[in-house]
Amino acid sequence: MPGAGGDIAALMAYDHARRVVKNPEVPFGQGAYEGIVAPETANNSAVPAAYIPMLTLGIPGDAVTAIIIGALYIHGLKPGPMLMIETPHLFWFTVGSLVLANIFLLIFGLSGIKLFAKVVETPKRILLPIILVLSVVGAYSINNNPMDVYWMLGFGVLGYFLKIYGFQVGPVILGMVLGPLMDRSYRQAMLSAGENPGEFLMGFVTSPLSAGITLALLFTIVSQTQWWKRRRSGHRPQPA
């Protein structure tokens, strides 16, 4: 997995597939092909999407590219427009590496599909202990703190109860991932606006790009309301 960006892209793609695909051959959550293809495709596209702002603007697209930017600075390189001017060979080497990675991912995916299917068919009594051990080791290795393991187990129990009572996992994870980012971005925007709410709100419509994004966001919110759904259903032509 490429990181949080890939997780978010996969969750959004899975949610979109559930809303778009009306009659899947297998129900979602029980092995629907659309529920596998959509998030994996979005997950694979998250890596080059994170590299684009890193290489062209020097802005990290996710945690992995942030580490790569630090490594480039250590070696005296300047991520951003100057990278293409001063070291174009490194820029095109990175682009070529991403292209080759996607090509070989396709080759290995098609040639090893039978092997991967066998891995999926592994009995749960064997698979679950392995996943639990790897999860504990991964949680502990981040900060070498056993408290992280307790937090991981606690959230696992919480996720189990959320699943039992029908809570959607995707929105919960999106809220946990995007919540701190939204809070930090809001504080930065308010500071740049001099803590003036009017100037802060005007920033949503001062440029064509921000105005377009704001309109798209408002349309997305309105399209999920019952009023919009009733309005659309009322304008559908009745069958003869």
Side-chain angles (χ1 to χ4, degrees), residues 31-195:
Y33 299 117
E34 297 84 356
I36 298 174
V37 174
E40 286 302 319
T41 303
N43 191 13
N44 294 337
S45 66
V47 175
Y51 267 80
I52 291 174
M54 185 200 76
L55 294 174
T56 58
L57 303 174
I59 301 174
D62 57 6
V64 177
T65 51
I67 296 173
I68 295 176
I69 285 180
L72 292 175
Y73 275 115
I74 290 174
H75 289 281
L77 301 172
K78 300 177 182 179
M82 297 304 297
L83 182 68
M84 293 181 282
I85 297 174
E86 297 178 354
T87 54
H89 59 282
L90 179 62
F91 173 82
W92 290 111
F93 174 80
T94 305
V95 174
S97 299
L98 292 173
V99 174
L100 287 176
N102 281 279
I103 293 174
F104 280 99
L105 181 64
L106 175 63
I107 295 174
F108 291 139
L110 295 177
S111 61
I113 189 170
K114 293 183 179 180
L115 176 62
F116 300 149
K118 293 296 181 182
V119 174
V120 175
E121 294 175 356
T122 305
K124 290 185 178 180
R125 63 179 182 274
I126 299 175
L127 196 60
L128 291 180
I130 296 176
I131 294 175
L132 180 61
V133 171
L134 293 176
S135 300
V136 171
V137 172
Y140 179 79
S141 62
I142 296 175
N143 297 314
N144 294 330
N145 187 355
M147 187 59 65
D148 293 339
V149 179
Y150 300 144
W151 278 107
M152 183 269 295
L153 295 175
F155 276 105
V157 175
L158 176 63
Y160 174 75
F161 283 104
L162 290 177
K163 184 177 181 181
I164 289 179
Y165 289 101
F167 286 87
Q168 295 294 327
V169 179
V172 174
I173 297 178
L174 282 175
M176 294 176 61
V177 174
L178 297 180
L181 297 176
M182 294 177 63
D183 179 68
R184 183 167 62 251
S185 299
Y186 169 74
R187 292 173 183 271
Q188 292 174 351
M190 284 297 293
L191 289 175
S192 64
E195 299 185 1

